[in-house]
Amino acid sequence: MASSPEMRASDSDRDRIAGMLREHYAQGRLSVEEFDERLERLYASKTYGELQVITADLPDIDMRSYTAGRELEKQAKRAEKRAQKEKDGLRGAWAGWAAVSGVNWVIWLIISVTGGDGVYPWPLWIMGPWGVILLVNTVFGQERRKRLEG
């Protein structure tokens, strides 16, 4: 922390301490009531001395090296899983489109060959709009996801 307990603490100092309190709570050192009470005192504190009082009875964690890295890693993993699910969903949508389009073209081909007359290519009306919607979702969905991530 700081060498002088009278020195003013910053928001990032309070955030680090809050992360430490969350870690201690997760490990069972604090009850819900204690955790809530300490968080209230934490965000009302102004100096390093007040911050030290809040964590005085807890095991030491080097506050300068402590970051919310674990939380950031968890968020990154969640975002990665969400992106993978979206990719899988998009792949599934395209696979469904391809399968339905293929079945419709086979039906059209059978009707055309057995009917003798040239039959209007009606499968285009099924695969065209559906394909356009999927294409727009694929292209603009990626841009939207990039904006949300960035």
Side-chain angles (χ1 to χ4, degrees), residues 22-23 26-28 56-57 83 106 128 141:
R22 279 191 290 278
E23 185 66 26
Q27 293 178 4
D57 63 336
V106 168

Side-chain angles (χ1 to χ4, degrees), residues 87-99 130 134 137-138:
K87 285 180 186 178
D88 292 345
L90 207 50
R91 256 188 236 122
W94 278 108
W97 174 83
W130 187 5
L134 281 175
N137 188 31
T138 301

Side-chain angles (χ1 to χ4, degrees), residues 17-38:
I17 300 295
M20 290 171 48
L21 290 175
R22 279 191 290 278
E23 185 66 26
H24 288 299
Y25 171 71
Q27 293 178 4
R29 291 189 185 100
L30 298 172
S31 68
V32 175
E33 294 81 20
E34 289 175 309
F35 178 68
D36 289 340
E37 176 198 330
R38 288 180 193 226

Side-chain angles (χ1 to χ4, degrees), residues 51-121:
L51 295 180
Q52 287 174 341
V53 170
I54 293 170
T55 59
D57 63 336
L58 298 171
D60 286 339
I61 296 177
D62 183 10
M63 290 188 235
R64 278 177 243 144
S65 66
Y66 185 84
T67 61
R70 291 183 190 154
E71 189 64 33
L72 292 175
E73 287 176 20
K74 288 179 187 177
Q75 289 176 356
K77 285 181 183 179
R78 277 188 235 125
E80 193 174 306
K81 285 181 183 178
R82 192 170 40 249
Q84 186 61 43
K85 282 182 182 180
E86 286 182 21
K87 285 180 186 178
D88 292 345
L90 207 50
R91 256 188 236 122
W94 278 108
W97 174 83
V100 169
S101 296
V103 168
N104 281 302
W105 280 113
V106 168
I107 293 170
W108 175 82
L109 183 63
I110 291 170
I111 292 171
S112 294
V113 171
T114 58
D117 295 333
V119 177
Y120 180 76

